[in-house]
Amino acid sequence: MRIEDFCVCKEHQHQGYGSSMMNLIQKEAEKFGCDCILLNTQKDYPSHHFYRKLGFQEIETVLLHKEVEENID
């Protein structure tokens, strides 16, 4: 299962809503027979610490990026 976007409003953070939702997502992934949950975040962001606290582990991957300039003729 891949999570694209997951956010909790700032005023509702640190109240367990995010952890509860992630637990529900994990249960659904298990029901569907998924072998893992994949998501992307950046190191040292609050989300990185949140996911690590929930047991997510970093995997080695290569992420590539290239700026696209407007092609002016």
Side-chain angles (χ1 to χ4, degrees), residues 28-69:
E28 288 299 307
E30 291 169 1
K31 283 185 196 175
F32 285 103
C34 298
D35 60 354
C36 72
I37 299 172
L38 181 66
L39 55 83
N40 186 32
T41 189
Q42 297 202 17
K43 281 190 175 191
D44 298 323
Y45 272 42
S47 55
H48 180 252
H49 300 290
F50 169 73
Y51 294 124
R52 295 287 293 174
K53 180 183 79 168
L54 294 177
F56 283 80
Q57 299 174 355
E58 293 175 24
I59 57 174
E60 290 187 35
T61 184
V62 176
L63 179 64
L64 301 173
H65 173 265
K66 180 179 180 183
E67 293 288 329
V68 178
E69 295 183 33

